[in-house]
Amino acid sequence: MVVHLQIAHGVVSGAAGPTADTVRPALSVSKPNPGCSLASSVFLMCLADRVWVFGDCAINPNPNPQQLAEIAIISAQTAKAFGVEPKVAMLSYSTGSSGTGPDVDAVVEATKIAKESAEKLYPGLPLDGPLQFDAAVDPKTGASKMPGSPVAGQATVMIFPSLEAGNIGYKAVQRTANAVAIGPVIQGLNKPV
């Protein structure tokens, strides 16, 4: 409320409580930015030698392809704001056309929408998918599974297809790679949270 009333410039909270207790009031008081249809989140995954940006791991349970595309574009913008050069991987259990099914189809559609949006909102943004996590971050695997991709093997922004996948993914990296997970950073609101 103090941010809404312009007494404070932003909110940093939640270190000693559940994420939901911090996010819920922010979503009910702050409205989306003009041009954003939803709020979403990213975690800055700080590893020993790099920072990855993982989205959405805290807010949207099952985004549709249009929402997933929007999350991808705004996550790239958030990455850039934090000094991470965005190379966006639309994650799936399939790389390219290696797998099939409705979940893969949704990521294929989201990738298409995100590429079209990027032409207007973020020209030159490297974005590709569907990519499995290993193809997104490991250069040898990326070159083998998705040759010619501007993102495979060098992704810095990982867009998970669901909240379940994203939350599991960030916690797995946090606990096994000794990464510091900063977030969730809420994006798409008219106030910084």
Side-chain angles (χ1 to χ4, degrees), residues 80-168:
K80 186 83 168 172
F82 280 97
V84 176
E85 191 59 40
K87 293 182 180 185
V88 182
M90 305 295 285
L91 298 179
S92 175
Y93 63 78
S94 172
T95 294
S97 59
S98 70
T100 60
D103 294 333
V104 176
D105 294 343
V107 175
V108 168
E109 180 66 16
T111 302
K112 179 180 176 238
I113 294 167
K115 285 180 176 180
E116 290 168 359
S117 295
E119 287 179 20
K120 299 174 208 153
L121 302 171
Y122 203 129
L125 175 66
L127 185 146
D128 210 355
L131 287 161
Q132 292 167 293
F133 191 85
D134 61 343
V137 301
D138 180 64
K140 188 174 180 181
T141 305
S144 170
K145 288 186 173 185
M146 197 87 146
S149 169
V151 173
Q154 52 187 330
T156 57
V157 178
M158 303 341 145
I159 304 302
F160 289 86
S162 69
L163 176 62
E164 181 175 36
N167 196 271
I168 291 167

